[in-house]
Amino acid sequence: MRIAVPTNDMITISAHFGRSKGFVIIDVKNNNIVNKSYTVNTFTAHAKNQNKPHEHGEKHAHSHTGIFSALGTANIVIAKGMGQRLFNDFYDKDMKVYLTKENSIDNAVKLLIQGKLKANKEICCQH
């Protein structure tokens, strides 16, 4: 499995997916982490400062194509929060999304490998 996690410091999970400074990509085989890489977020409108805070609404229609390119072949996303549209886009691409209250990337991945990480769809923000 390949896991994508938004982060600002490569240690903790960002509070909002699209506003993160980058993404840690983690490859897991036989319940062991075999590779970990980092991609700087130059893909989202928030990262490019194209959206001002609280500017969401009917006009919030930017594409998530860049995010999918950045995450490559990731099939699982662990995040603390994201917009409903991005959540739906992940779902449409058959990507499993775990919205967690965990702060640590390592702890969240460990829980996922153990089958103990909950999906928590209700955490998704509605913008």
Side-chain angles (χ1 to χ4, degrees):
M1 77 178 106
R2 178 168 266 189
I3 306 163
V5 185
T7 184
N8 291 325
D9 59 10
M10 296 173 48
I11 297 168
T12 58
I13 303 170
S14 297
H16 189 284
F17 192 95
R19 294 176 193 220
S20 65
K21 292 181 180 178
F23 310 102
V24 171
I25 308 296
I26 303 161
D27 292 310
V28 175
K29 290 186 181 174
N30 299 321
N31 293 329
N32 293 306
I33 294 172
V34 295
N35 190 44
K36 207 177 207 184
S37 61
Y38 180 76
T39 301
V40 174
N41 182 6
T42 59
F43 307 97
T44 66
H46 293 296
K48 296 176 187 178
N49 292 321
Q50 293 174 350
N51 285 4
K52 295 178 181 141
H54 309 294
E55 198 173 79
H56 299 296
E58 294 298 320
K59 296 179 184 177
H60 188 63
H62 58 260
S63 170
H64 294 125
T65 304
I67 291 173
F68 294 116
S69 295
L71 304 184
T73 59
N75 58 343
I76 296 173
V77 172
I78 299 174
K80 290 187 77 129
M82 67 181 61
Q84 186 67 51
R85 282 187 55 251
L86 179 57
F87 181 90
N88 292 343
D89 287 351
F90 281 133
Y91 181 82
D92 290 344
K93 291 196 173 285
D94 293 323
M95 295 176 74
K96 179 76 175 171
V97 178
Y98 291 86
L99 297 176
T100 184
K101 294 179 183 177
E102 285 292 321
N103 288 315
S104 164
I105 292 170
D106 290 342
N107 286 345
V109 170
K110 180 180 174 183
L111 289 169
L112 177 68
I113 290 169
Q114 295 172 346
K116 297 179 181 177
L117 190 66
K118 296 180 181 177
N120 296 312
K121 291 191 309 186
E122 70 279 359
I123 294 175
C124 202
C125 71
Q126 304 292 320
H127 74 277

